[in-house]
Amino acid sequence: MLSVETRYAIDPETAKGLDTDGLRNHFHADGLFVEGQINLVYTHYDRLILGGAVPGNGELVLDQVAEAGTPSILDRREMGILNIGEPGTVKVGGESYELKNGEVLYIGMGSGPVTFSGPARFYVLSAPAHQTYPTKLIRIEDARRVEMGSAETSNERVIMQFLHPEVCQSCQLLMGYTQFAPGSVWNTMPAHLHDRRMEAYLYFELGPEQRVFHFMGQPEETRHLVMKNEDAVISPPWSIHCGAGTGAYTFCWAMAGDNVDFTDMDMVAMEDLR
């Protein structure tokens, strides 16, 4: 029912020597969404945990995760949960929350075990916390909406910010997703870095034949990963993170690190990319 994989942090010089399989082994995560299972990836990048929970016809309980080193995963952590499937239920702290597609639940430190049920596909993110903030269900209409890009540059998109200081308090976890207009495919370009925070992407709402080419690496030493539907990628603080798809798609972004300032980023000029 529970599977946890550990990914260790590596430096950019080591990453330069990796082939395709090596890059995927370190930074690519697939097979997260399997019915009847909770599949997690414990990363050594700011100790972020990411994964999927698909209850199917039963219930799934997320409680002790040995890699977190505490009796229950939320003893010293906070959590964000995005539903990318049918409506489902999350029970935590004696309360039940109904999540529709595209809605996010923030869970504060110390809330106890988390129970998933219903035909949903839950994307789970967790980061270490230093204090407790209230558990909060964030509807789509409650998110901070930022429209960016244009059809002319193939990046017309809307950024939906859920775990953001103007929407929901958190210790260090930022979370939301970006949706593209038909005909637009480029995300987060021009690229940027934020050495103070790591980031993780989940690409979803892709058709079976569609792919996203996710670009990573240092600006002067770029690499790429080919992503299919519901694949995730771990982006270390020293890496750019941008991409282009064969069609419109959605990606969930999440950050953990020194601060919760969404705009804390160092832009990379196009002429500096190699």
Side-chain angles (χ1 to χ4, degrees), residues 72-93:
S72 187
I73 185 173
L74 290 175
D75 286 350
R76 293 297 302 272
R77 285 179 165 270
E78 59 187 353
M79 183 175 290
I81 300 171
L82 166 66
N83 183 13
I84 63 171
E86 300 289 328
T89 302
V90 177
K91 298 178 183 178
V92 64

Side-chain angles (χ1 to χ4, degrees), residues 196-209:
R196 297 153 296 281
R197 296 180 298 191
M198 64 82 65
E199 192 158 359
Y201 278 15
L202 173 74
Y203 290 100
F204 62 105
E205 296 184 343
L206 282 76
E209 305 302 321

Side-chain angles (χ1 to χ4, degrees), residues 117-129:
S117 61
R121 301 172 79 79
F122 295 110
Y123 181 49
V124 179
L125 293 150
S126 177

Side-chain angles (χ1 to χ4, degrees), residues 48-83:
L48 184 81
I49 294 175
L50 61 94
V54 185
N57 295 323
E59 286 189 343
L60 294 173
V61 179
L62 180 56
D63 190 8
Q64 185 176 33
V65 175
E67 288 74 5
T70 54
S72 187
I73 185 173
L74 290 175
D75 286 350
R76 293 297 302 272
R77 285 179 165 270
E78 59 187 353
M79 183 175 290
I81 300 171
L82 166 66
N83 183 13

Side-chain angles (χ1 to χ4, degrees), residues 72 80 150 178 198 209 243 250 261:
S72 187
S150 68
T178 301
M198 64 82 65
E209 305 302 321
T250 302
D261 178 4

Side-chain angles (χ1 to χ4, degrees), residues 81 83 86-88 90 97-101 103 105 122 137:
I81 300 171
N83 183 13
E86 300 289 328
V90 177
Y97 302 88
E98 302 293 327
L99 273 71
K100 299 176 183 177
N101 181 278
E103 295 181 339
L105 178 67
F122 295 110
L137 175 59

Side-chain angles (χ1 to χ4, degrees), residues 100-145:
K100 299 176 183 177
N101 181 278
E103 295 181 339
V104 170
L105 178 67
Y106 171 78
I107 304 175
M109 181 181 72
S111 297
V114 183
T115 301
F116 304 94
S117 61
R121 301 172 79 79
F122 295 110
Y123 181 49
V124 179
L125 293 150
S126 177
H130 59 270
Q131 72 177 72
T132 299
Y133 287 114
T135 296
K136 181 178 180 179
L137 175 59
I138 309 163
R139 308 289 187 188
I140 292 176
E141 58 269 23
D142 299 325
R144 186 172 186 266
R145 180 185 176 96

